[in-house]
Amino acid sequence: MVATVFYLDEVPQPGAIAVLDGPEGRHAATVRRTRVGEAITLSDGHGILAESEVIATAKDRLELKVHNRVLAPPPNPTVTVVQALPKSDRSELAIELMTEAGADLIVPWQASRCVANWEAKAAKGIEKWRAAARSAARQSRRAYIPDIAHLHRTRDLVELVKAAKDEGAVVAALHESGAGKFTELPVAKTDSVVLIVGPEGGLDDAEIAALTEAGADAVLLGPTVLRTSTAAAVALGALGALTTRW
């Protein structure tokens, strides 16, 4: 089992000493009260995992001896989640849940019915999502931290869908009036899946029309209507069972 994961920009080779400081070191030394002799897994967030042992502690800092280093295989298929901006009190929850469930790339989307509006504060919102994704990846002991893309408008999303379809991806727009079922999509026969999650008010007719014309399948995820903050995590769980991701 992977020990508690902390992230470094670069993980040293086996036998070398790694220094964990900054926010990660503060969390390990001060919040978790890590002690000498404890095992910690280091990761660069891009697939590298390294077993290490704490050999010295200080305030906001750990020194660790690296024992081994491996590259974790990337998940297949990879999953991009296009997330319409949730309300502010549920925004980071959505990122945490989809990160723990295995999202590989998260795309914030300013859909027409979003209550939240990032037009003047996109950079701040993206940084908050990145911090939430990093924290959730640590909690779930992931070797890969999902990246957060730039803010997409609907026109940007249409181009994303077209490009994904050209590369053979399955693109699912989760919608309560979808004609097909999510479980009927050929997700086990592709290397890439794109999940599109609308806002609390749902996708409007123009958005559905534009996305389906670009190649997305409007599908029903399940028998109940889910909140925008939980839909992606549920879909990722279904994907885990329908493909080799689990």
Side-chain angles (χ1 to χ4, degrees):
M1 183 176 179
V2 176
T4 302
V5 172
F6 288 95
Y7 298 105
L8 283 173
D9 289 339
E10 293 186 17
V11 177
Q13 295 293 332
I17 304 301
V19 175
L20 190 67
D21 54 13
E24 292 287 298
R26 185 177 307 111
H27 185 80
T30 304
V31 178
R32 293 188 61 91
R33 300 181 183 274
T34 305
R35 299 290 181 253
V36 171
E38 288 190 39
I40 281 181
T41 299
L42 296 174
S43 176
D44 63 354
H46 300 287
I48 293 292
L49 290 171
E51 294 180 4
S52 67
E53 180 182 348
V54 179
I55 59 173
T57 65
K59 184 179 180 181
D60 300 345
R61 171 188 170 99
L62 299 180
E63 291 184 13
L64 310 101
K65 185 171 184 179
V66 178
H67 294 312
N68 60 42
R69 215 176 82 137
V70 298
L71 178 63
N76 190 331
T78 59
V79 182
T80 296
V81 177
V82 178
Q83 175 66 60
L85 304 180
K87 298 176 184 177
S88 59
D89 61 335
R90 301 185 67 85
S91 183
E92 291 173 46
L93 172 63
I95 303 307
E96 291 170 1
L97 292 175
M98 71 179 74
T99 297
E100 292 172 7
D104 300 301
L105 172 65
I106 301 169
V107 179
W109 173 33
Q110 187 73 62
S112 65
R113 292 178 177 170
C114 286
V115 174
N117 190 324
W118 278 15
E119 293 297 342
K121 53 182 179 181
K124 183 178 180 180
I126 289 168
E127 284 307 309
K128 284 186 176 180
W129 281 23
R130 285 179 175 157
R134 186 183 187 92
S135 177
R138 184 197 301 120
Q139 172 68 31
S140 52
R141 302 178 182 180
R142 287 189 56 173
Y144 293 88
I145 302 173
D147 195 13
I148 309 296
H150 66 84
L151 178 65
H152 279 49
R153 284 75 176 175
T154 298
R155 63 179 179 275
D156 304 316
L157 179 53
V158 167
E159 294 305 312
L160 183 155
V161 171
K162 289 179 180 178
K165 293 297 293 184
D166 286 345
E167 295 176 0
V170 170
V171 182
L174 308 180
H175 194 257
E176 61 187 71
S177 62
K181 294 182 179 180
F182 182 79
T183 53
E184 296 172 343
L185 295 174
V187 292
K189 299 179 180 179
T190 183
D191 292 328
S192 178
V193 175
V194 178
L195 303 174
I196 302 173
V197 180
E200 294 288 0
L203 302 173
D204 71 16
D205 292 342
E207 289 167 340
I208 282 290
L211 294 173
T212 54
E213 185 177 348
D217 292 300
V219 294
L220 187 65
L221 178 57
T224 58
V225 177
L226 301 170
R227 300 194 72 160
T228 187
S229 54
T230 56
V234 172
L236 283 158
L239 275 175
L242 292 170
T243 67
T244 58
R245 285 176 63 92
W246 286 3

